Amino acid sequence: MITELSIFILILVWAYTFVSKIFDFETFARQIKGAYLLSSAGAILPYILQVVHIGIILLLLKKSWRKFGLITSLIITVVYTGYLIYILKFAPSIPCSCIAVFRGINWNDQLYFNFVVLAVNIIGLVTFYSQKRTPHSSIQTSLN
């Protein structure tokens, strides 16, 4: 149940991120081109990110791919969280927070949100692996 809830939450997060960027793709692409450290890959990066978002959603939706989906989601979230930390601690200036998941939130709020998503992702992975280790029929019956 916990694994399924974690996967459901992650699907919602990735789907919302995907859809929100698609509906205003030109703005999203322009913001990536102007973002610190991302501008050099700005022409292709918005497309790559959208493919990654939809890929994670598909991986999480198909039961036989969920392990890879959870791992991929975790890796991408760790990379984005690392980028946020770098911007907040080491960047010469903080760019607009327009590439955040939700419009209008600042970099600190996005970082806190990412920590929550990371926690959900880790809980999902831990419970996913614990399901694989325990036998499905843990109830023992006795004929006495």
Side-chain angles (χ1 to χ4, degrees):
M1 179 80 137
I2 294 172
T3 304
E4 293 298 320
L5 181 60
S6 298
I7 289 169
F8 178 73
I9 291 168
L10 291 171
I11 289 170
L12 286 179
V13 168
W14 290 111
Y16 176 83
T17 304
F18 175 78
V19 169
S20 68
K21 304 305 183 204
I22 283 293
F23 279 128
D24 198 7
F25 189 78
E26 289 180 30
T27 302
F28 172 60
R30 187 177 65 251
Q31 292 164 347
I32 290 287
K33 288 176 188 172
Y36 188 72
L37 294 179
L38 303 179
S39 59
S40 61
I44 191 149
L45 189 59
Y47 299 100
I48 292 171
L49 290 175
Q50 289 302 84
V51 169
V52 168
H53 291 157
I54 196 72
I56 290 171
I57 294 165
L58 294 173
L59 290 170
L60 291 171
L61 283 171
K62 185 158 173 58
K63 286 191 183 231
S64 61
W65 296 347
R66 284 190 173 163
K67 174 182 164 185
F68 188 61
L70 285 165
I71 293 168
T72 305
S73 174
L74 182 66
I75 291 169
I76 297 301
T77 306
V78 165
V79 168
Y80 184 49
T81 304
Y83 175 74
L84 290 170
I85 291 169
Y86 177 82
I87 291 296
L88 289 169
K89 298 293 180 189
F90 305 108
S93 65
I94 297 178
C96 75
S97 60
C98 37
I99 60 173
V101 172
F102 302 107
R103 289 189 192 272
I105 68 172
N106 63 34
W107 286 87
N108 286 318
D109 293 340
Q110 180 64 48
L111 183 61
Y112 298 137
F113 177 79
N114 275 40
F115 286 144
V116 170
V117 172
L118 280 171
V120 168
N121 210 139
I122 291 167
I123 290 167
L125 264 172
V126 168
T127 57
F128 180 85
Y129 277 107
S130 68
Q131 280 180 333
K132 296 295 182 185
R133 291 188 182 177
T134 58
H136 292 288
S137 57
S138 61
I139 301 173
Q140 295 182 1
T141 59
S142 156
L143 296 175
N144 294 336

